[in-house]
Amino acid sequence: MEQDKDVEVKHKEKKSDSSKVGVAIIKYVTYLIIFFGILWFLINYVFPMF
């Protein structure tokens, strides 16, 4: 005798959103490049004027 059973299967996936990490890294690296670019400009062009 066969019994028909409704079986609900749940698949859980870990939410490791690596794209958010990548965006944050790119953002902060860009901030550092801009900061060092401004610092380089000041050292090479502005400070020698004094």
Side-chain angles (χ1 to χ4, degrees):
M1 187 168 171
E2 290 185 30
Q3 295 178 349
D4 292 328
K5 294 183 180 179
D6 290 331
V7 178
E8 185 176 337
V9 178
K10 293 184 180 181
H11 294 285
K12 290 189 177 183
E13 295 181 7
K14 287 185 177 180
K15 292 186 177 180
S16 60
D17 195 1
S18 62
S19 65
K20 288 184 180 180
V21 174
V23 168
I25 290 172
I26 292 171
K27 183 172 69 172
Y28 290 115
V29 167
T30 304
Y31 289 160
L32 284 175
I33 290 172
I34 291 171
F35 173 74
F36 285 118
I38 292 171
L39 194 63
W40 177 83
F41 174 79
L42 289 173
I43 289 170
N44 284 314
Y45 293 104
V46 176
F47 287 152
M49 291 179 179
F50 294 112

